[in-house]
Each structure stands twice: as C-alpha cells, then as structure tokens.
Amino acid sequence: MDASLSSHKELLDVFGISYQLFDRSKKTVYEQLSTQIPKPSAEFQQVLNEVYDTQTSWSGNLSDHDSTFTRMVPIGKGRYFAGVFVIYQDGEIQKFKEYQEIATDLKVLFDSSYDVIFVSDAQGNTLRVSSACEQLWGKKRSEFIGLNVFDLEKQKVFYPSVTSMVLKEKRKISAIQKTSTGKTLLVVGTPVLDKKGNIIRVVNASRDLTEVTRLQDELKEIKEIAEGYQKELQTIRKKRSINKKIIYSSNVMENLVDQVRRVAPYNSSVLITGESGVGKEIIASMIHEWSNRSTQPFIKINCGAIPENLLESELFGYEKGTFTGAVKEGKEGLFLAANNGTILLDEITEMPLGLQVKLLRVLQESELRKVGSVKTTKINVRIIASANRNIQTLIKEGKFREDLYYRLNVIPIEVPPLRERKEDIPILAEHFVQQFNLEYNSEKSLSDCSKLEMLKHQWKGNIRDLKNFVERLLIVSRSDQITARDVSNLLDLKSTTHLKVDMELPFQINLNDKIDLYSTLEAIEHQIIEHVASHYNTTTQIAKALNINQSTVSKKLKKYKISIKKYE
C-alpha cells in the first residue's frame, strides 16, 4: 500500500461515505462501500480507465446503477499522479439537494417577479401568494393563506376571480380584473393538471395595468391635442400655400377668399365666373386644396382647347377598338382619372350641346359611360366649372342647356375684374417684380409713384395683362428703380400700338329679303375673323384685336378654314 494514500484512511472513515481508493496501478488500496453500491461493471472500468488516461475528474450516473451518483477524482498529476479516489453518493440524496436548490431559486423568483403570483388548490383555497400582494389587494401575504377565492370575489377584494373561471372552464384564461384598492390588473390563470387530467393547482400571474392605463389615457389625450395642432398646422400651411397663389389686399377679394374657404369642405358643384385673366383657375385650386379631397387628384381641362370630336373621349374615355388609330387598350378618361378628387371644366360654355347632356348625367347620377361601352361606371368627383361668357345669354340663344346651368350653379362664385379692385394692383405688381427678378437675376424695384401711375390704367386683360406689362417694364427699363415716367411711357406706347383693325367690312344685308339671323351673324363673324386674320400672323394678336380668348380664335379659324401666316 502506498504510504501517501494509506495515511489518510482513518480520516476518510470519519466522513462515513462510500468510497474506493485506487493506487497508480489501479489496485484497490482501501474501500468503504455500503450494501447499495453495486459491483464494478465494464462501464465503470471503462470510465475509470479514461480518468487514469486523462487524469481529469468525472462525475455522473452509470447506466447499470443510475440511482447512485459516482464521482472519480485523480490524485495528483503527471509525475505526482498517485491514483484515483472514487466517491459514491446515494441518488435520492443528490436529487433532494437539487430540489432544495430549485425550491430556493423558485422562492426568489416568486417574491421578486414583476407579476404577482397567486397559487390555489383545486377547491380555490389560497396556498401561496407573492409578497407584493399587499400593493394590489391591500392585504398581507399571511392574511391570504387559506382564504377561498370565491369568498374573496364576493368581498370584492378582486373581481372577477380568474381562479374560479379556470376551475369552471378547465383551461388557461386571461382577463382584466378590478380590485378593492382601485387597481386594474391583467390576470393570466393557468391550470396545473395531474396524470389523470384533473386540476390540482391554479397559478395566477397578475400584472398591474393601472399605471399603463393612466399612461394610455394621457397618451390618448396628448394624441388628441397633437392631432388638433396638426389640423391647425395643416390649415396654416394651406393658408400660406394659398397666399402664395393669390395676392390681394382689397376687401372684395378678402370676402371672396372667405367664401371659398367656407364652401371648400362641401362636395357641391361650383360655377366660377369672371372675365378672362382674373384668376378663376387659382380660385378652383384653392377650393380643391381646402377641401377633404386635397390629397386626391385635381384634374384641369380647357373645354375650348380640345376639338369637339375628341372632347368626349378625353372626358369620359373609350373602350378598346372604339376608334381607328386609338390606343388598343382603350382609355379611362379624365373623369375617372379624377375619381375621389376634383375636376375643373374651364370654359364650360365651349362644350358642345350633345356633350352637355352626358355631363348632366354625371352630375345627376354620379356615373358615366365610356365611348363605345354599354356599361356605366360609378364615380365620386367634385365638379368645378368656370366661364368668362354670360351663360344666361347663351341659354337664351340655345347654346347652353338651362338644366346643366342649374346643376353647375349650386355655389356661384364671381371673381371681380382688376379695375373693380384697384387696391390689388400695387401688391400684384410688387409680386410680379419679385417673381421676374428671380427669373432674370435682376434687382429692380417699383417706386411709389410708378404704382400710382399703374392705378390709372383699366387693365382690360386683368391680372394676366398686368403680369405681362410688368415683365415688359422690367426688361425695357434702364435703371433699377422703375419710375412713374417709365410706366407712363410704356402705357402710352401700349395704347398707340394697340392692335387696331379697320373694320369697314363689305357687309351686304338686304333688309327687304327674309333674314335668317343665325346664318347672317355667322357670315358677319366669318368676314370679321377673316379680315382681322389677314392683318396678323399669330392667334394671340388676333385674340387681342377682337378681345376674345385665344382658344376661341383657334376654333373659329378651324371652323371657317381660315389660315394665317404663322400659327401659334
């Protein structure tokens, strides 16, 4: 026997444990084994050999006696290696220690958990509860032990009882629970089943939502306030956006803008009237931007700029194969493109009578039918129409449908000409100066006297006329400060070079004959346009000479097959 090993024999016996001591040659030096320890097996010998070879510890349960926990520890290493010490420990004792450790861990978790844990038996009697229960229910832990959850529910300590719900329905249940202390809890009740499927325990996890609910209420209130500010901000942004589009200082325009702001939220049709160049399209865009459709399409179409034979298909679309040379897949049309949004029908008086009937159906039924189709399509479009001609006169002449007029004229808006709101002329002129300064990289300005000089002019072309004049003024003026003389000189030049035409035309009307008024007027119109067209080479010049729209000139030229030297 190795002296270094045998010298500790008496000390090892004192501990009263089962063990074996092997020397360097794997011979048993000493052992103290209980009757429960089985004889060494091949598996034991294999593990022992591995410990000898590696000189590292091993612990675990061997398959042939798994109720015994075995630990093999090498004594020394390398040249000082003396043998292996094997300790045997009863498995039940080991498991008991493990259970003790688990129980300690669970107790710590039980008391430190954010959720309050409530455990009851199959009859609803309280077995255990977290120490934090007093904060939720106003009772100490010791006061709960043994109390029945059904009684606690009756006393309104908490209600409803999730434990009673779990016992009744035999499944996991989540519910909101109120307490006598005014708390709001989220309780999750989980049944614990035995091998036969019977409930032996119910474990509840309760989380206090009172603070969360309060924060949610505060968040909701803050959200409502934020939404209010957002709406106010959007209103301010819209106002600023509109103010950039429409420049004015007169009371008459202030009242008009106020009217636009009031009617914009509604879906009623709007008819905007006024002379050419007063800003009818801008008013229409204001209505759209201030409406609930502001995020949807805003489609603009000039009814006088599109040939009659194409206007219907442009507005209502067409099915595939309807026209030779048309898009094979068909076309949806501008009304469908504007669906859920707004469409502006500019120069509505130029729309043919036949097409007016179809527009009337859209207004009455909120549906349309594509060219070449037998099916109708529902649409949701707000219609804004504008005109610079007297529609009442056109109705009397049979050129505009009276029923369509009343459908469009639900909300009439008349934009006054610039000569009736001269207070706007200086501010508009200043605006155009700034605009053209940016465009032409100049730094010119208007003197006060120059603005007063502009007030003397009638501006028959309204804002468009003023804008063109200011552009011309900035280009031809020699100094950065534009004076009253600059304005008057240019206005005088404008008046002397104003487009004039000798209108002594060879009208020949025999009053003794029976007169057809419409054909006679058409013949006179033909001669006037032909005569004026011979003096100018652009449709713009002809329009100014006749004081009509350029689009109307284009239509009349095509109607009477009149050509000019240069066509715009």
Side-chain angles (χ1 to χ4, degrees):
M1 179 183 297
D2 195 330
S4 62
L5 297 178
S6 60
S7 61
H8 300 291
K9 174 181 176 302
E10 294 179 2
L11 180 62
L12 292 173
D13 291 343
V14 171
F15 291 106
I17 59 174
S18 297
Y19 69 90
Q20 285 182 298
L21 188 61
F22 296 91
D23 62 12
R24 188 181 297 165
S25 60
K26 301 181 185 178
K27 291 181 179 179
T28 304
V29 177
Y30 190 78
E31 64 182 11
Q32 180 174 285
L33 301 172
S34 67
T35 56
Q36 287 81 13
I37 305 300
K39 294 182 179 181
S41 62
E43 184 184 3
F44 174 87
Q45 196 62 46
Q46 181 181 353
V47 173
L48 183 64
N49 290 338
E50 289 178 2
V51 173
Y52 267 90
D53 294 339
T54 60
Q55 295 182 11
T56 56
S57 299
W58 179 90
S59 59
N61 296 86
L62 297 170
S63 59
D64 55 348
H65 44 94
D66 58 356
S67 63
T68 302
F69 185 80
T70 305
R71 184 184 300 274
M72 299 183 184
V73 181
I75 302 172
K77 285 190 176 182
R79 58 185 293 191
Y80 300 107
F81 177 70
V84 174
F85 185 50
V86 181
I87 305 170
Y88 301 97
Q89 192 172 19
D90 185 23
E92 295 299 326
I93 296 174
Q94 178 65 22
K95 287 181 181 178
F96 177 73
K97 288 183 178 180
E98 289 178 0
Y99 290 152
Q100 279 186 317
E101 292 176 357
I102 292 171
T104 302
D105 293 342
L106 288 175
K107 188 176 184 303
V108 173
L109 290 172
F110 196 80
D111 290 331
S112 62
S113 172
Y114 181 80
D115 295 329
V116 177
I117 310 300
F118 193 104
V119 182
S120 54
D121 62 17
Q123 287 71 45
N125 299 313
T126 306
L127 300 178
R128 294 178 188 84
V129 63
S130 301
S131 57
C133 61
E134 189 172 355
Q135 298 175 6
L136 298 188
W137 298 301
K139 289 180 177 288
K140 294 181 179 179
R141 176 161 52 181
S142 57
E143 295 180 76
F144 274 107
I145 305 302
L147 295 181
N148 192 277
V149 294
F150 295 96
D151 296 331
L152 292 171
E153 184 179 27
K154 290 177 182 178
Q155 297 168 15
K156 298 291 185 180
V157 174
F158 48 69
Y159 54 93
S161 169
V162 175
T163 300
S164 63
M165 295 165 70
V166 172
L167 291 173
K168 182 179 179 180
E169 299 187 27
K170 295 181 172 23
R171 63 181 181 86
K172 184 176 181 178
I173 288 178
S174 299
I176 298 296
Q177 189 180 81
K178 297 290 185 178
T179 73
S180 58
T181 57
K183 302 282 188 182
T184 301
L185 311 179
L186 173 62
V187 183
V188 180
T190 306
V192 179
L193 309 178
D194 60 14
K195 293 181 179 179
K196 295 180 179 180
N198 299 316
I199 295 178
I200 56 174
R201 295 283 188 276
V202 176
V203 180
N204 291 345
S206 303
R207 176 162 295 190
D208 188 0
L209 297 181
T210 308
E211 187 67 17
V212 175
T213 305
R214 186 183 67 80
L215 290 174
Q216 283 180 335
D217 291 341
E218 288 182 3
L219 184 62
K220 183 180 178 181
E221 185 178 350
I222 292 171
K223 187 178 179 181
E224 289 174 353
I225 293 172
E227 287 176 351
Y229 284 137
Q230 184 71 20
K231 288 180 180 178
E232 287 183 17
L233 184 60
Q234 287 176 352
T235 302
I236 292 170
R237 284 176 177 170
K238 283 183 178 180
K239 287 181 179 178
R240 287 182 177 177
S241 175
I242 296 303
N243 289 338
K244 289 179 181 178
K245 289 185 176 181
I246 184 164
I247 311 298
Y248 64 92
S249 63
S250 62
N251 290 332
V252 64
M253 286 303 294
E254 180 66 39
N255 294 335
L256 187 141
V257 171
D258 182 62
Q259 180 189 5
V260 169
R261 188 180 290 111
R262 283 185 282 110
V263 305
Y266 302 95
N267 292 324
S268 304
S269 301
V270 180
L271 179 59
I272 305 172
T273 56
E275 296 179 5
S276 178
V278 292
K280 296 186 292 295
E281 186 176 316
I282 292 176
I283 298 297
S285 68
M286 287 169 58
I287 293 172
H288 175 72
E289 289 186 23
W290 273 338
S291 73
N292 297 327
R293 301 171 181 263
S294 57
T295 58
Q296 300 299 324
F298 178 46
I299 305 296
K300 296 173 281 188
I301 181 170
N302 189 318
C303 299
I306 300 176
E308 292 182 15
N309 59 335
L310 295 179
L311 186 57
E312 183 179 7
S313 60
E314 283 294 316
L315 286 173
F316 303 106
Y318 56 85
E319 292 290 345
K320 59 181 180 180
T322 304
F323 305 112
T324 304
V327 179
K328 292 182 179 179
E329 295 78 13
K331 189 175 182 179
E332 67 173 9
L334 295 177
F335 268 106
L336 284 174
N339 200 22
N340 297 318
T342 308
I343 189 167
L344 169 62
L345 302 175
D346 194 14
E347 293 192 40
I348 187 69
T349 52
E350 303 301 319
M351 181 177 285
L353 283 170
L355 202 53
Q356 290 179 27
V357 178
K358 201 163 185 179
L359 176 60
L360 186 62
R361 180 178 180 82
V362 173
L363 285 162
Q364 290 176 332
E365 309 295 337
S366 296
E367 62 182 23
L368 59 80
R369 188 168 61 191
K370 291 183 178 181
V371 178
S373 175
V374 295
K375 296 180 181 178
T376 58
T377 304
K378 282 287 183 183
I379 59 168
N380 174 22
V381 177
R382 184 180 192 175
I383 297 176
I384 301 175
S386 66
N388 57 19
R389 298 175 67 184
N390 191 318
I391 298 182
Q392 295 285 5
T393 302
L394 294 173
I395 292 173
K396 291 177 182 178
E397 294 174 355
K399 296 180 179 179
F400 199 86
R401 292 184 63 94
E402 188 173 13
D403 49 2
L404 176 60
Y405 168 71
Y406 289 122
R407 279 286 180 179
L408 292 172
N409 200 41
V410 177
I411 300 175
I413 295 177
E414 184 175 1
V415 186
L418 195 54
R419 62 182 174 275
E420 293 180 9
R421 49 185 177 104
K422 290 196 172 184
E423 310 99 292
D424 295 336
I425 293 175
I427 191 172
L428 281 167
E430 282 285 4
H431 171 72
F432 293 138
V433 167
Q434 293 175 14
Q435 183 177 320
F436 290 121
N437 274 336
L438 288 173
E439 184 175 345
Y440 299 130
N441 195 24
S442 59
E443 296 181 359
K444 295 189 177 184
S445 61
L446 295 170
S447 67
D448 292 338
C449 293
S450 67
K451 297 174 190 175
L452 292 174
E453 191 68 28
M454 290 182 189
L455 293 175
K456 300 175 184 179
H457 193 62
Q458 290 299 306
W459 305 109
K460 294 182 179 179
N462 293 293
I463 298 172
R464 189 181 297 121
D465 190 9
L466 177 63
K467 182 179 180 180
N468 293 339
F469 176 79
V470 171
E471 182 178 13
R472 192 158 57 249
L473 188 61
L474 259 70
I475 293 171
V476 301
S477 62
R478 296 181 178 181
S479 62
D480 288 342
Q481 177 78 13
I482 297 172
T483 64
R485 182 180 293 275
D486 294 328
V487 174
S488 61
N489 288 341
L490 196 58
L491 285 174
D492 290 341
L493 179 64
K494 180 182 178 184
S495 62
T496 56
T497 58
H498 185 70
L499 300 174
K500 294 182 180 179
V501 180
D502 182 7
M503 297 306 290
E504 295 180 5
L505 299 175
F507 297 144
Q508 296 179 0
I509 303 174
N510 189 346
L511 298 178
N512 294 323
D513 294 338
K514 185 178 179 180
I515 299 175
D516 185 330
L517 179 62
Y518 289 111
S519 61
T520 302
L521 290 174
E522 193 173 68
I524 294 172
E525 182 183 64
H526 186 174
Q527 291 183 56
I528 291 172
I529 292 174
E530 188 173 37
H531 184 75
V532 175
S534 66
H535 286 73
Y536 302 105
N537 61 359
T538 67
T539 55
T540 302
Q541 292 173 340
I542 296 171
K544 286 182 178 180
L546 295 174
N547 195 26
I548 59 176
N549 291 329
Q550 182 183 356
S551 59
T552 303
V553 172
S554 299
K555 290 178 66 175
K556 300 297 183 184
L557 291 173
K558 290 180 181 178
K559 179 180 178 179
Y560 299 119
K561 299 180 180 179
I562 299 170
S563 61
I564 56 178
K565 296 177 182 178
K566 182 179 178 182
Y567 192 87
E568 283 191 336

